Amino acid sequence: METIFSGIQPSGSLTLGNYLGAMKQFVELQEDYNCYFCIVDEHAITVPQDRLKLRKNIRELAALYIASGIDPNKATLFIQSEVPAHTQLGWIMQTQSYIGELERMTQFKDKSKGKEAVSSALLTYPPLMAADILLYNTSLVPVGNDQTQHLELTRDLAERFNNKYNDIFTIPQIKVSEVGARIMSLQEPTKKMSKSDVNQKATIYMLDEPKQIEKKIKSAVTDSDGVVRFDKEQKPGISNLMTILASCTNQTLEQIEEKYRGVGYGQFKQDVADAVVNELRPIQERFYQIIDSQELDDILDQGAEKASFVANKTLAKAKKAMGL
Ligand code: ADP
Ligand code: NA
């Protein structure tokens, strides 16, 4: 069985975009792959975090994975900082990377632009990400477009190490996520919906109450031509709502266009809101059952143990190859 690694940062409340674009797909992937789902808290601290908020975000993220349907018997769910091999191999991968190539990463440029104090960890984040992936002999990494550059670097670092020392690392393939799964901001539909967006009206959070969801969708930016038609260039707002409706109801975009011919935006938005509420309801119910449970602690303990077992073996091989 092929191995998949995926990390999500606990850097804010998860959005409908995170769910439809990542988690919902993970639930399917766990059936056919050996999956590691990692809460990458060490990546989150490359920028300042409030201690209590970070703790809450880590816990919530873990509960949302389980509530979304990740089965700890089928996949390994764990917290990065509970498996020390990540930072240990991360250091080794730093020794294989050059400052110049790290400075060329677009995400580093974006996140450091205009900032007075930038942590050196923001620069060395990609070698840590490489370690995350390489520790598990990962063959596939599902990522959004924004992460492909880091993945290319992971492959380069792994090849560089293998050539220089010994053939230790599996070179991972990039699995770019399926089309249509990219959810956009409700207020600026040419921008992706993101948990770090400061405009709360633009974002549906997985834990939003039905009333909030309805309100946000009803005030989503659309256009004035009154036609429910998929056209990302001319009608980004309506196209985004159609994508959301399609993802939540398993209808195709064509079926949706057909169904809403001659129907106003009011009714359409109501249906989108209902579909999102229905999609998230069972997840929210399960979330509140487990968020404060011993069960969740146990899942995370076992996940860290399972992950450590594999990670420590790879780390030991890498150290030995280097003479440590
Ligand atoms: P965010 O931008 O919300 O902080 P991350 O960069 O942490 O999200 O991404 C976590 C996962 O969620 C990734 O697999 C990413 O591809 C996916 N994802 C994030 N935002 C969206 C979106 N708007 N639509 C679809 N998938 C998304
Ligand atoms: Na992000």
Side-chain angles (χ1 to χ4, degrees):
M1 210 188 250
E2 286 196 284
T3 297
I4 281 185
F5 179 93
S6 175
I8 298 188
Q9 285 198 39
S11 53
S13 301
L14 284 209
T15 72
L16 184 66
N18 295 135
Y19 176 66
L20 295 175
M23 286 220 178
K24 193 175 179 179
Q25 274 148 49
F26 295 167
V27 174
E28 287 166 26
L29 292 175
Q30 69 179 344
E31 303 299 331
D32 301 317
Y33 297 91
N34 178 26
C35 290
Y36 290 88
F37 297 120
C38 183
I39 296 166
V40 289
D41 53 351
E42 287 163 336
H43 288 289
I45 59 170
T46 55
V47 296
Q49 297 285 344
D50 175 84
R51 171 182 176 273
L52 292 177
K53 271 194 205 142
L54 181 60
R55 284 195 76 86
K56 181 168 172 275
N57 286 338
I58 292 170
R59 182 84 183 174
E60 281 190 7
L61 181 48
L64 281 173
Y65 269 107
I66 300 299
S68 298
I70 294 302
D71 178 348
N73 296 310
K74 292 180 183 160
T76 307
L77 173 66
F78 68 104
I79 299 171
Q80 184 186 28
S81 65
E82 294 185 354
V83 179
H86 286 256
T87 45
Q88 292 173 298
L89 187 66
W91 178 254
I92 289 177
M93 299 322 289
Q94 276 190 55
T95 68
Q96 302 306 305
S97 53
Y98 305 115
I99 294 175
E101 66 189 347
L102 298 182
E103 284 176 341
R104 281 196 297 275
M105 293 290 129
T106 349
Q107 202 179 82
F108 173 72
K109 288 197 242 174
D110 289 347
K111 286 194 174 182
S112 60
K113 197 164 56 194
K115 299 263 163 62
E116 266 187 36
V118 174
S119 75
S120 52
L122 195 62
L123 181 68
T124 56
Y125 169 124
L128 180 59
M129 177 171 160
D132 298 336
I133 293 164
L134 298 175
L135 281 170
Y136 302 98
N137 311 310
T138 301
S139 47
L140 283 173
V141 187
V143 288
N145 283 332
D146 54 333
Q147 287 293 329
T148 50
Q149 198 186 26
H150 288 163
L151 241 298
E152 294 292 353
L153 183 77
T154 298
R155 291 166 51 89
D156 287 348
L157 295 180
E159 274 165 8
R160 206 174 286 166
F161 185 101
N162 284 356
N163 291 336
K164 211 157 155 189
Y165 303 102
N166 199 352
D167 229 356
I168 304 293
F169 298 126
T170 303
I171 311 297
Q173 302 291 320
I174 304 172
K175 188 182 190 311
V176 178
S177 51
E178 282 105 285
V179 283
R182 191 172 166 84
I183 307 303
M184 312 306 277
S185 155
L186 297 180
Q187 292 300 315
E188 284 174 80
T190 49
K191 226 176 74 179
K192 81 159 192 168
M193 183 181 285
S194 170
K195 56 175 132 67
S196 39
D197 196 327
V198 286
N199 183 358
Q200 308 237 324
K201 272 175 65 186
T203 310
I204 294 171
Y205 299 99
M206 287 182 74
L207 296 174
D208 273 350
E209 286 171 18
K211 281 237 150 37
Q212 291 173 290
I213 293 173
E214 198 174 313
K215 208 170 149 202
K216 287 177 184 178
I217 289 178
K218 288 202 164 155
S219 57
V221 169
T222 53
D223 52 56
S224 55
D225 78 358
V227 182
V228 177
R229 181 167 52 82
F230 193 81
D231 181 341
K232 274 189 172 172
E233 304 295 317
Q234 304 297 320
K235 299 167 68 64
I238 287 294
S239 301
N240 186 37
L241 293 177
M242 287 178 72
T243 303
I244 293 173
L245 185 58
S247 308
C248 291
T249 57
N250 293 321
Q251 298 176 83
T252 64
L253 296 170
E254 293 74 29
Q255 287 169 328
I256 291 170
E257 279 182 4
E258 183 74 23
K259 188 165 164 190
Y260 291 94
R261 192 159 295 150
V263 179
Y265 287 171
Q267 183 60 50
F268 171 64
K269 282 179 160 181
Q270 183 63 54
D271 290 356
V272 176
D274 291 344
V276 173
V277 168
N278 283 333
E279 179 84 0
L280 294 180
R281 184 184 297 116
I283 298 171
Q284 294 183 353
E285 281 172 8
R286 179 89 176 108
F287 174 88
Y288 289 110
Q289 282 167 3
I290 57 169
I291 183 69
D292 294 318
S293 70
Q294 179 66 39
E295 182 190 355
L296 186 57
D297 291 324
D298 293 344
I299 289 170
L300 291 170
D301 284 349
Q302 284 159 20
E305 210 173 300
K306 269 166 68 186
S308 291
F309 183 76
V310 178
N312 287 339
K313 280 205 243 182
T314 310
L315 175 66
K317 281 193 218 165
K319 285 173 72 175
K320 189 170 170 225
M322 291 183 91
L324 294 175

